Amino acid sequence: DELCLLRMWAVHFFVAFALSLLFVKVYRMYLLVGKGPRRHTISHGQAAKMALPLIALQSVVLLVFTFVDPNRRHEDIIIKGGEIIHRFTCGHDTPAFFVVMLVIEGGLVLVGCVLAFQTRHLRDEFNESKQIILAMYDTAVIGSSESLGVVALFARNKLRS
């Protein structure tokens, strides 16, 4: 069970951590270079403070699900013909964690796409937005496809039972 919880925390915490720092970087560049004649300055400390709310939100959600609906190890024994398959999987008792993470992380990717789109016309010496736009759109497409696949699997399993 500890490894299942570690996996839950590691994946989702570091997604929020990485995306929040990326958002702050893009937003900072947008304010410094791309927003009209008046330039704003943002110190490193202010930038770090801007990233903390997303990291804190993800930490609170992970803490709640650690105690309310923890990621537990499930044991499956499948017998097909003469073959016996013994496997362990990690999972939650309800789909609530999946739905909450879909909303939070999907929202983060959507915010990333909007920020990348807003910074697409910055000057070339400051502009990494083309790479960021491509990365965010790829993440959005892959995440959407993966989410639809998981939803389809849930629906198929519900129909079978």
Side-chain angles (χ1 to χ4, degrees):
D1 283 348
E2 293 84 15
L3 287 176
C4 291
L5 282 174
L6 178 65
R7 188 177 114 198
M8 177 182 86
W9 270 84
V11 170
H12 296 289
F13 179 80
F14 286 112
V15 163
F17 184 80
L19 286 178
S20 66
L21 294 176
L22 180 65
F23 295 164
V24 169
K25 176 189 184 291
V26 172
Y27 183 67
R28 188 178 186 184
M29 288 305 298
Y30 176 70
L31 288 179
L32 291 174
V33 180
K35 193 177 176 186
R38 185 170 174 245
R39 292 186 181 182
H40 299 272
T41 58
I42 298 174
S43 70
H44 295 307
Q46 288 173 318
K49 287 178 187 174
M50 290 170 72
L52 286 178
L54 293 175
I55 296 168
L57 172 69
Q58 187 75 304
S59 298
V60 167
V61 169
L62 288 171
L63 272 173
V64 166
F65 277 98
T66 295
F67 295 108
V68 173
D69 185 18
N71 204 9
R72 290 192 178 104
R73 185 175 80 167
H74 300 282
E75 183 176 359
D76 296 325
I77 299 174
I78 302 169
I79 301 172
K80 276 188 183 176
E83 185 179 10
I84 299 173
I85 300 171
H86 187 205
R87 67 179 181 181
F88 297 100
T89 57
C90 296
H92 295 273
D93 295 332
T94 66
F97 182 75
F98 172 73
V99 171
V100 170
M101 285 298 111
L102 185 66
V103 168
I104 290 174
E105 292 175 359
L108 290 178
V109 171
L110 185 64
V111 167
C113 289
V114 169
L115 281 174
F117 184 77
Q118 286 179 338
T119 59
R120 71 191 183 283
H121 295 300
L122 294 181
R123 294 191 312 252
D124 284 342
E125 63 264 19
F126 299 110
N127 193 3
E128 297 171 357
S129 65
K130 290 173 184 70
Q131 294 88 347
I132 293 171
I133 271 183
L134 184 62
M136 293 310 301
Y137 290 161
D138 284 348
T139 304
V141 168
I142 290 169
S144 299
S145 303
E146 187 176 287
S147 299
L148 289 175
V150 170
V151 168
L153 283 175
F154 275 136
R156 191 179 83 186
N157 288 339
K158 291 289 183 191
L159 290 175
R160 284 186 179 175
S161 45

